[in-house]
Amino acid sequence: MGNGTSIGRVRGLGSAHEGSHGWWHHKISAGSNLILVLWFLISLALLPAYDSATLAAWIAQPLVAVPLILLVVSVFYHFHHGLTVVIEDYQHDHTRFVLLLLLKYFTIATATLAIFSILKVAFTAGAAL
Amino acid sequence: MANVRNSARPLSPHLSIWKWGPSMAVSITHRATGSGMATVGTILFVWWLSALASGPAAYAAFVDLFTLSSGKLNIVGYVFGIGLTLSFFQHMASGVRHLFLDAGANFELKANKRTALATYFVAVILTAGFWAFLLEKSNG
Ligand code: HEM
Ligand code: HEM
């Protein structure tokens, strides 16, 4: 490993052994996003009303709460990977590290809030809040 | 310093020297729609869910931001609603096209250009259909 050009520094090191794995996971999540987000949009469009009681009763069904949680896992995993690639393409110094860290905090915080909210609605729908 | 570029060396020419074409436009719209949904879309989605989980009063306050007193969407509601659905259908169409490219298909120039343009048509038609359905329903 030399100290010269970028290509000179990486020649002979071989593969990083992580590229195709992240790439493949991203493709899997693209497929599950396709199914889950279409299901979500069509189901929303078909609901009779959008007041909180109707929505809570809808989310309380197991076959709605579970796909919704799967949607959060799939979409958030997908956009975490996607935004990581975008940041890596445009940021090259310490800002890259900071932005990647903020992205991780953002993804984990929003995903936890989303899943907690789905579960709370599912377990308390109909009860006085 | 391993992570510092030698600024005496030229970068490969980027955006400025290329003639725009549909596949280039689709590539950058895929990135823009994905990043837009990941930020704006995520915040609205999580806000919606947590408002719902916080009870009817919190939910009414959330809905109030996007609707008129008649219950119909206001301008903010339409901008975010149509913006996010159009972004999604565009990203979906170019995402599915991308999966075919990943499998090694559709690199013939003519077909590649045609499917690039098709993603925009598909996105606009699906978005218009989705909103036509919603408005039709709410108008009885
Ligand atoms: C039908 C559902 C979806 C499909 C089929 C899909 C497909 C894809 C594909 C194939 C890529 C990789 C592009 C590449 O390698 O250059 C990608 C990137 C990305 N997606 Fe999605 N996606 C979907 C939904 C979503 C949603 C709902 C979000 C956000 C909440 C999202 C955010 C992103 C982001 C941020 C990127 C990275 C963009 C880039 O690197 O240019 N995607 N998507
Ligand atoms: C207006 C013109 C351009 C647009 C809209 C554009 C857009 C993009 C986008 C969205 C990506 C991410 C794609 C992905 O993640 O698979 C990308 C990656 C890339 N672009 Fe461009 N680009 C343009 C011009 C160019 C030019 C002129 C070059 C080189 C001379 C170039 C070289 C690259 C490279 C090397 C990557 C990284 C590919 C990878 O990591 O897979 N781009 N570009």
Side-chain angles (χ1 to χ4, degrees):
Chain A
M1 187 169 90
N3 223 357
T5 60
S6 354
I7 186 83
R9 285 198 303 273
V10 296
R11 262 196 189 127
L13 291 179
S15 137
H17 294 297
E18 53 175 38
S20 60
H21 147 101
W23 180 85
W24 175 235
H25 279 199
H26 198 209
K27 303 298 143 173
I28 299 174
S29 66
S32 45
N33 276 359
L34 180 67
I35 299 167
L36 292 163
V37 182
L38 281 178
W39 161 80
F40 178 64
L41 288 179
I42 294 172
S43 312
L44 272 188
L46 292 175
L47 282 178
Y50 301 98
D51 57 286
S52 60
T54 311
L55 286 168
W58 179 63
I59 291 178
Q61 297 164 266
L63 289 183
V64 174
V66 171
L68 256 190
I69 293 170
L70 293 177
L71 180 147
V72 171
V73 173
S74 175
V75 169
F76 285 47
Y77 178 83
H78 177 87
F79 87 61
H80 177 267
H81 186 280
L83 286 186
T84 298
V85 174
V86 175
I87 292 170
E88 287 171 351
D89 279 355
Y90 301 128
Q91 302 294 333
H92 302 285
D93 306 319
H94 299 91
T95 42
R96 176 192 279 193
F97 175 78
V98 174
L99 286 176
L100 290 175
L101 196 64
L102 289 176
L103 173 62
K104 287 209 191 314
Y105 290 153
F106 174 76
T107 312
I108 292 173
T110 48
T112 310
L113 185 55
I115 292 173
F116 173 81
S117 300
I118 294 167
L119 291 175
K120 181 175 176 206
V121 171
F123 292 145
T124 58
L129 282 169
Chain B
M1 283 290 288
N3 63 347
V4 175
R5 194 177 69 81
N6 180 350
S7 54
R9 289 177 168 273
L11 281 174
S12 69
H14 198 51
L15 297 182
S16 53
I17 67 160
W18 300 92
K19 178 171 170 288
W20 273 86
S23 43
M24 212 147 99
V26 164
S27 167
I28 200 63
T29 3
H30 190 78
R31 176 156 279 197
T33 51
S35 304
M37 288 189 292
T39 49
V40 179
T42 298
I43 289 170
L44 283 175
F45 178 69
V46 172
W47 189 1
W48 174 69
L49 280 175
S50 54
L52 200 55
S54 306
Y59 190 68
F62 173 81
V63 169
D64 195 46
L65 295 170
F66 303 99
T67 52
L68 303 166
S69 47
S70 68
K72 293 199 187 303
L73 287 179
N74 63 19
I75 182 78
V76 183
Y78 275 114
V79 169
F80 282 109
I82 295 180
L84 284 172
T85 43
L86 183 60
S87 294
F88 171 72
F89 286 127
Q90 175 61 39
H91 189 91
M92 179 185 92
S94 54
V96 170
R97 174 174 176 273
H98 204 298
L99 296 178
F100 281 97
L101 293 171
D102 288 335
N106 195 31
F107 280 93
E108 301 76 16
L109 289 183
K110 279 220 176 83
N112 188 284
K113 184 172 178 180
R114 228 182 301 121
T115 53
L117 288 171
T119 64
Y120 290 112
F121 285 110
V122 168
V124 170
I125 288 168
L126 288 179
T127 309
F130 184 79
W131 285 90
F133 178 84
L134 280 187
L135 293 177
E136 181 65 27
K137 198 178 69 161
S138 73
N139 292 332

